[in-house]
Every structure is written in C-alpha cells, then in structure tokens.
Amino acid sequence: MSNIITVLHLTTHDEICGIAKYQEQFIQSMKHEKDIENIIFDFSPNQTRFMTKQQYKPVVKHFKSMLKNSDILHIQHELAFYKHRELSTMIGLANSLNKPVIVTIHTALDVEYQKVKLPGYLPKYFVSYLRQLKQQKNFENVHLNPLKKADLIIVHNKITKDSLIAHGFEPEKIQIINMPIPKIDFSQKTTKIKKTMNIQQNDILICTVGFVSKTKGVDQAIKALRLLPKNYKLVIIGGIHPDSRDNSFFDSITDYIVDNNLEDRVYITGYIEDDNELNSMIRESDICVYPYDSNYYSYVSSAALNNALANHKAVIAYPTPTFYEINNEKEAIKICQTPNYYELAKEIKNLDINKYSLLAKEYANKYAYDKEATKFADIYRQVLKK
C-alpha cells in the first residue's frame, strides 16, 4: 500500500439531494489532507436502485475494478437509496477483497424496520403476519444484514447508535460524529424577501428552510403566526421537491393562508437551487424555526437546521432527541417545551434574538466542515491500522 489512502465513495452526487451536498462538502473540505484521495463512484444509488439485474451487472463489474485500486469503501446510507441487493453486493465485494468498509447511516433503521409480532390466532391475523414477516425479511436482506458486515458505522446522533445496537450491531463498531456545519460565503446580499413582503423597521421576519413537507412542520409555523402580532411575518424558504408528484400538503397550507387572511404576512419562495441565494435569503430573516415532526425526526439529524447555524441565525426547534443533542455541550438553539404551535408562538415572541444568533455563530465555528473533515481523515487512517 502506498502512502496515499484512496477512498472510494458510494454516494449520491451532482444531484438535488441533501446527502449528496453533505458528502461533497466533506470531500471538498478534506482536500488539504495530502495523504487522502477521495474518488466518487460514477453511479449514484438513485440510479442503481431502479436498475434491472441486467442493467446492474456491468455497474458491479465497473465498481469492482475501481474498488481493487482503492483502500477503503465509504458508503452513504439512506433508506430510500437501496432497494434490492446493492449493499449486499458492494459490501460483499469489499469483504472479499479485504477492503475496509465504512458506512455513514443518516436515518435510523427504525423509521422503516420493526420486528413483527403475531397479534392473535385468528386466520386474518396469520395472513397479515405472514405479509409483514415477508417485508421484514426483505428489509433485513436489503439493509440490516449487509450493514452488519461493515467495519465501521458512522452516525450523527445517539438515538441512531442505540437503535443499531438494539438490532444487533456491535457497539464498538459504531462511532458518533457531529453533523458538520458548512462554511458560508457571506458576501452575497439580497433584499428580495424584504422588498416582496414590504418589511418595515419594526417587523420580525421568521423563516422555515427546506422542502415543504408535513414532517418539517411548515403548517405549524403558519399557525403560530396567527397567534403573533402583525409585525411578525413568515417566509417559507423552499418549495415542493422537484421530484415530488404530491401537491396535497402544499395545497392545504396555501388554502390555510388564504382562509385566514395571511397573504400579506406569508411568502413562499419556491424551490431555491443555488446555495448562495438560499443562504442570502436566510440572512434576511431574524429567526429560523424548525417545528419538525417529533416522531420522524427522533431518528434523523437535520442538515436544513445546520443552514441556519451556518448563517448565524437564532433558531427555535420542536423537542426531538436529535435537536437536544445539539445542546449537549452548550445551548446553541432554543427548544420548545412541547411540540405545538402555541408553544412555538410563545418562544418566538420571547426569544432573545441577539443572544441566540451569537450562540449559533459559536456552534458553527466549532463544528465547521473543515474541522470535522480533519477528524474524518483520522478515521480513515485508523481504519487501515486495524
């Protein structure tokens, strides 16, 4: 083995995907590590998951040739990325070639996986049980069993680690790292939102960030606005995911805005593709709110929340285990006592914006991508020493 460590990455890339941006920023931040060479596999999981066996066969051949010339395989795992035997095939190849495998798991398996139990002994229960048991076995073959063959699992929160241990993963093979904060270029300025919404000097501008979905609580932010004085206004920075075909939730929130005469106090930007434009819009705001679904986000760390911290904005969030972990060492965000829009409105009205903006800045500097990337380079080095 040469002095250069070559890491082959199996990840989404060059596409509209939070994990793609996450890993691209990690790789970019690692460029100053002279002994690490990062190579992204040509085919994204978002391509291979739709392939037939015949289509997938030459992809595997190409992957094997690249893996032979690499020292480590690093996989980004999200439940939606892998739908057949991709993980089993790729990790199996790495094992056969004695190449260490690192997997970063972004969402706890519990979001889709629970062991089924027979609820009773009537025939109808057996039919349902057998169907669910088949689904459980398929999940285990696609995700659980291959992931257990990895040499190291990386997670971003304790609840995901605990979940994996409960499903039989070896604790010593799981490592928690902080979700890194991107370094933002503050030079780009915009007043688009303030002009569109006619923001006055005494107005307080609240924002949500990210794709508009039920789990991200945009409806909660709009309902909270109704309980606040009229100088509080809300901008929803984002829109429906370009690949989404379901507009029902978006329609329901726009109906609510119209029915409650909030048109002058709420503005939806639509999907923002350019990161610099997105960040400049966040900087127009005073407070970023994350009233996320407490059940779903018990298992997921939010990259969208990191956008607020990166732009040094005061943050209010609903209580979830992953958000509480952000405040583990020192408070960085304000967390509502209970996950409801009345509580959210109260916290918005009482928030010390300057204080929480400074806390966000301190957190962003401490866990910036360049610092976390240096730590990850050490993880690569340590894996090869084992």
Side-chain angles (χ1 to χ4, degrees):
M1 186 179 69
S2 70
N3 292 328
I4 302 297
I5 299 171
T6 303
V7 184
L8 179 61
H9 295 269
L10 183 59
T11 177
T12 49
H13 57 278
D14 296 329
E15 56 195 287
I16 300 169
C17 171
I19 291 171
K21 289 183 179 180
Y22 161 97
Q23 191 60 8
E24 286 161 4
Q25 288 179 94
F26 241 134
I27 290 171
Q28 180 63 34
S29 299
M30 218 178 286
K31 283 189 178 294
H32 64 279
E33 303 292 335
K34 301 302 182 184
D35 63 329
I36 308 290
E37 180 184 14
N38 292 291
I39 300 173
I40 298 178
F41 182 55
D42 305 304
F43 292 88
S44 162
N46 277 333
Q47 294 173 295
T48 57
R49 67 189 174 119
F50 296 115
M51 290 181 176
T52 64
K53 286 184 179 179
Q54 282 301 110
Q55 291 171 327
Y56 192 50
K57 193 173 181 180
V59 173
V60 173
K61 184 178 180 181
H62 179 47
F63 175 83
K64 186 175 182 179
S65 68
M66 292 185 71
L67 187 59
K68 283 181 177 178
N69 296 315
S70 303
D71 299 301
I72 297 171
L73 172 61
H74 188 179
I75 299 172
Q76 300 300 311
H77 180 272
E78 176 60 39
L79 292 166
F81 288 172
Y82 306 101
K83 293 300 181 184
H84 46 91
R85 304 290 291 181
E86 308 104 297
L87 287 175
S88 179
T89 300
M90 302 310 199
I91 294 176
L93 279 172
N95 291 160
S96 69
L97 294 169
N98 294 317
K99 307 290 186 179
V101 179
I102 300 173
V103 182
T104 300
I105 294 182
H106 291 272
T107 303
L109 306 183
D110 299 48
V111 170
E112 291 186 8
Y113 176 72
Q114 293 291 334
K115 286 199 171 184
V116 298
K117 296 179 181 179
L118 185 63
Y121 295 99
L122 294 175
K124 64 177 182 179
Y125 293 133
F126 280 101
V127 173
S128 175
Y129 171 75
L130 291 173
R131 183 178 65 252
Q132 291 178 51
L133 185 62
K134 183 179 179 181
Q135 293 171 348
Q136 175 190 312
K137 294 299 181 185
N138 181 67
F139 186 97
E140 290 170 354
N141 289 331
V142 171
H143 297 281
L144 194 68
N145 297 334
L147 289 172
K148 286 183 178 179
K149 295 178 181 179
D151 296 273
L152 180 66
I153 300 289
I154 302 294
V155 297
H156 290 303
N157 53 71
K158 187 175 182 296
I159 195 166
T160 301
K161 179 177 181 177
D162 291 344
S163 164
L164 293 172
I165 293 170
H167 292 308
F169 286 74
E170 299 174 43
E172 61 273 14
K173 288 187 176 182
I174 306 170
Q175 184 171 338
I176 300 175
I177 68 166
N178 287 94
M179 175 75 85
I181 309 295
K183 283 283 189 181
I184 299 298
D185 179 3
F186 281 72
S187 62
Q188 183 167 323
K189 309 289 184 183
T190 179
T191 56
K192 179 180 178 180
I193 293 172
K194 290 184 177 180
K195 286 179 179 177
T196 302
M197 300 188 73
N198 191 29
I199 299 297
Q200 303 299 308
Q201 190 171 1
N202 68 330
D203 286 344
I204 303 295
L205 185 57
I206 309 157
C207 78
T208 65
V209 183
F211 295 119
V212 174
S213 69
K214 182 70 175 177
T215 57
K216 294 192 174 181
V218 174
D219 55 336
Q220 297 287 290
I222 298 169
K223 289 177 180 178
L225 189 69
R226 284 191 64 206
L227 303 177
L228 292 165
K230 290 188 177 181
N231 66 311
Y232 285 81
K233 296 180 180 179
L234 172 67
V235 56
I236 298 165
I237 304 176
I240 301 171
H241 193 289
D243 295 333
S244 175
R245 296 180 181 179
D246 184 6
N247 294 336
S248 57
F249 178 70
F250 191 89
D251 289 342
S252 71
I253 64 170
T254 51
D255 287 344
Y256 186 91
I257 291 167
V258 173
D259 291 344
N260 290 277
N261 301 312
L262 294 172
E263 297 98 318
D264 293 335
R265 297 176 63 198
V266 181
Y267 172 53
I268 305 174
T269 67
Y271 170 62
I272 307 295
E273 184 173 2
D274 182 73
D275 286 343
N276 288 328
E277 183 182 3
L278 174 76
N279 287 313
S280 64
M281 287 183 172
I282 292 172
R283 289 195 295 275
E284 284 194 75
S285 307
D286 299 296
I287 302 170
C288 296
V289 297
Y290 294 83
Y292 283 5
D293 178 83
S294 299
N295 292 321
Y296 180 78
Y297 277 91
S298 290
Y299 303 106
V300 183
S301 296
S302 170
L305 187 143
N306 282 4
N307 282 338
L309 296 171
N311 285 287
H312 308 163
K313 287 298 168 182
V315 173
I316 302 175
Y318 273 5
T320 70
T322 55
F323 287 165
Y324 278 124
E325 284 190 45
I326 292 174
N327 286 349
N328 265 352
E329 294 180 23
K330 181 183 177 183
E331 187 179 31
I333 64 176
K334 184 67 178 179
I335 298 178
C336 296
Q337 289 185 0
T338 54
N340 62 76
Y341 65 88
Y342 175 85
E343 186 72 24
L344 177 61
K346 186 175 71 173
E347 294 293 359
I348 291 171
K349 196 172 182 180
N350 294 334
L351 189 71
D352 184 334
I353 296 174
N354 290 331
K355 172 187 172 182
Y356 281 91
S357 297
L358 180 59
L359 291 173
K361 182 178 180 179
E362 291 173 354
Y363 187 93
N365 289 336
K366 185 173 183 179
Y367 297 111
Y369 258 101
D370 55 352
K371 294 176 182 175
E372 294 303 309
T374 297
K375 296 175 187 176
F376 218 111
D378 283 335
I379 290 174
Y380 291 147
R381 296 177 188 114
Q382 290 302 317
V383 163
L384 284 181
K385 287 179 180 179
K386 291 182 179 180

